[in-house]
Amino acid sequence: MSLLINSVKVSDNTSKYFNSKVNILIDSKGYIKKISKKKISAKVKKKVDFNSKSISESWLDFRANFCDPGYEYKEDLHSGIKLAINSGFLDVIITPNTNPVIQTKSDISYIQEKSHNNFCNIHPCAAITKNFNGKEMNDIIDLHNAGVKVFSNTFSGIESSEMIMNSLLYLKQINSLLISRPVDKTFSNGVVNDGFHSNTVGLKGIPRISESIALKRDLSILEYVGGRIHFSGISTKESVSLIREAKKKKLNVTCDVPIYNLLLDDSNITGFDTNFKVDPPLRDKEDINALIDGIKDGTIDVIASHHQPQDVDTKKCEFEKANFGIISIQTFFSNIVELSRKIPLDILLKTFSSKPKEILGIERSSISEGSKASFTIFNSDGSWDYDEKINLSKSINSPWLNWSLKGRVEAVIKGNKIKEII
C-alpha cells in the first residue's frame, strides 16, 4: 500500500525541510519516495491530510514498566503497547523488574512473541545479575545474542563496587550498555525528598547524597575500567554537575530524567497525595532548574516516561506504605508541551527521538527521500481531557487524571502503515 501524507510541518531541525510545510509520498515498501512543498500527484491507496500538524521522527521511551510477566493486573504487554502507540512511541525499553525477572533467553522469547505488532518495537532490558542478587552474573552473551541491547543493576538489593566493575568489563566486550539507577540504598529508606517540605509534614526524607554518592562511585569505576554506562532517573543538581564533568573527561556516559521531575517539585507532597510519591523523589525548584539547564546544554541526553503502573490498593493507603510511581506515557507529550515554555520544543524532541536511538544503536528515521518511514505526527496546540474513560493504562495512578491537557498525538507512521489517534 502506498501512502500520501499531506500538509505536515517538519519539526526535525536536521532536515532541510525544517519548519516547512510539506507533502510526503511513501511507497508500498515503506520508504519515502518524495517530499515536496507543492502538491504531489500520485495514485495511492491511502491519502491523509493533517492540516499543518507537526511531524518528527518516531519517539523512543527509554524506561517504562509494562509489569509483564507477573503483575499483569497493573499493566501487560498488550495494554502497554497500545498505550505507547497511541502516545506517539514506536520504540520502548521495558524494565526487567517482573516476576520472573527478565534474565533468560526464554524470558526474552516470551516478550518478543507477546509483543509482536505492526508499529511499536519493544526492547527488553535484562537483569545483569540473577534475580538482582548482585552476586551472580546472568549469561550476558546468551541474552545479547537473543537481542538484548541493555542490561541493568537498577533493582539490585545488593550492589558491590566489584560487581559494577565486572559488569562494565563484561559488557564492554560486546559493546553493550549498563543502565544504573544511582542510589545508595543505605540513605534511601525514606519516601520523599529530604528538605523543608518533608520536615514540615513529618515524612522521612531521601537525601540528595543517596544519588550523588552512588553516581560518584560508578563514574570512578567507569573511568578506571572503561565501558558504557547510562544513569537512569537522575534528579538533583549535584548529579547534573557530576555528569557534566564526566562528559568533559570524555567518559562514555549518558543519562535520563523522568518527565515529571522536570515539572513537579516536592511541595506537591504536602497534601499526602500518593500519586506524587515517585522514585526518584520529586526534588525542589533549584534541582528542577539545574535539570532544565542540563537538557539545554546537552548534559542530560534523554527524557523518559518512567511509566510505573500501580494498582489501587497500593496507592490508596497511608503515604509511607504506598508504592512509588506514576503512569506517565499517555500524558508524556502534554508534559513536554508544558516544559516547552522553558526549553524549545525542537531541543526537547531530540531527547525522546534521535538521542535515545543513538545510545541504543537504533537506525534513525530521518525526514528525507529514501529513508524508511517511522514518524510521529502531533499537534502542540491540541487539547484533550484525560479521564478514566480516555486512560489506556490498566492503572490510574496519575496526578494528571481528570485534567484538561494541551498537546495531542495525531498519528504514527511505520513503513507504509498509518494509525490515526482518535
Side-chain angles (χ1 to χ4, degrees), residues 240 244 290-300 347 355:
V240 176
R244 184 179 287 120
L291 292 169
I292 287 172
D293 288 342
I295 293 170
K296 288 178 178 178
D297 69 15
T299 299
I300 295 174
I347 292 176
K355 284 190 177 181

Side-chain angles (χ1 to χ4, degrees), residues 22-37:
V22 299
N23 307 306
I24 302 174
L25 177 62
I26 299 170
D27 67 23
S28 59
K29 294 182 180 179
Y31 289 86
I32 297 177
K33 186 175 181 179
K34 188 175 182 179
I35 302 176
S36 177
K37 296 179 182 180

Side-chain angles (χ1 to χ4, degrees), residues 175-193:
N175 192 32
S176 196
L177 180 68
L178 177 65
I179 294 182
S180 173
R181 164 76 184 99
V183 56
D184 186 314
K185 295 187 183 299
T186 58
F187 285 100
S188 299
N189 57 351
V191 293
V192 295
N193 178 53

Side-chain angles (χ1 to χ4, degrees), residues 124-306:
C125 175
I128 194 76
T129 59
K130 293 180 180 179
N131 297 313
F132 291 118
N133 63 17
K135 298 176 181 179
E136 303 169 82
M137 193 173 288
N138 280 314
D139 192 336
I140 303 303
I141 299 296
D142 226 23
L143 288 162
H144 177 71
N145 291 338
V148 175
K149 297 179 182 291
V150 290
F151 297 82
S152 179
N153 72 326
T154 302
F155 306 95
S156 174
I158 306 169
E159 296 180 354
S160 71
S161 298
E162 183 182 22
M163 181 53 70
I164 297 295
M165 182 177 70
N166 290 340
S167 299
L168 285 169
L169 285 168
Y170 214 103
L171 294 176
K172 184 165 69 170
Q173 298 176 43
I174 56 175
N175 192 32
S176 196
L177 180 68
L178 177 65
I179 294 182
S180 173
R181 164 76 184 99
V183 56
D184 186 314
K185 295 187 183 299
T186 58
F187 285 100
S188 299
N189 57 351
V191 293
V192 295
N193 178 53
D194 185 31
F196 172 79
H197 295 293
S198 66
N199 293 327
T200 299
V201 298
L203 292 172
K204 186 171 178 57
I206 302 172
R208 292 177 180 82
I209 59 170
S210 67
E211 190 168 294
S212 57
I213 286 173
L215 205 147
K216 286 177 184 176
R217 179 201 64 176
D218 289 2
L219 284 174
S220 297
I221 297 171
L222 178 69
E223 188 171 14
Y224 181 61
V225 302
R228 301 170 61 212
I229 194 166
H230 178 92
F231 292 107
S232 184
I234 68 164
S235 65
T236 70
K237 59 183 179 181
E238 292 86 357
S239 294
V240 176
S241 296
L242 288 166
I243 293 169
R244 184 179 287 120
E245 290 305 309
K247 288 191 171 187
K248 287 179 181 178
K249 292 180 180 180
K250 306 298 182 184
L251 298 184
N252 204 339
V253 56
T254 53
C255 66
D256 71 61
V257 60
I259 179 61
Y260 41 79
N261 280 85
L262 294 162
L263 297 170
L264 305 172
D265 64 60
D266 60 349
S267 66
N268 287 283
I269 59 97
T270 57
F272 296 96
D273 183 345
T274 59
N275 286 322
F276 294 105
K277 183 179 179 181
V278 289
D279 179 33
L282 303 178
R283 303 292 185 178
D284 66 22
K285 291 179 181 178
E286 193 174 349
D287 292 303
I288 292 176
N289 290 334
L291 292 169
I292 287 172
D293 288 342
I295 293 170
K296 288 178 178 178
D297 69 15
T299 299
I300 295 174
D301 305 272
V302 174
I303 302 174
S305 76
H306 283 242

Side-chain angles (χ1 to χ4, degrees), residues 18 47 61 79 105 117 157 181 189 202 224 279 294 296 305 346 363 365 387 405:
F18 178 54
K47 183 189 300 184
D61 189 2
S79 66
K105 282 179 69 176
N117 67 94
R181 164 76 184 99
N189 57 351
Y224 181 61
D279 179 33
K296 288 178 178 178
S305 76
D346 60 300
E363 184 180 359
S365 46
D387 54 29
L405 301 173

Side-chain angles (χ1 to χ4, degrees), residues 69-98:
Y71 307 103
E72 292 91 342
Y73 56 94
K74 299 181 181 182
E75 200 80 274
D76 60 39
L77 284 165
H78 293 310
S79 66
I81 289 167
K82 180 181 180 181
L83 176 62
I85 292 170
N86 282 271
S87 304
F89 292 98
L90 299 191
D91 290 275
V92 180
I93 298 177
I94 56 170
T95 57
N97 55 323
T98 49

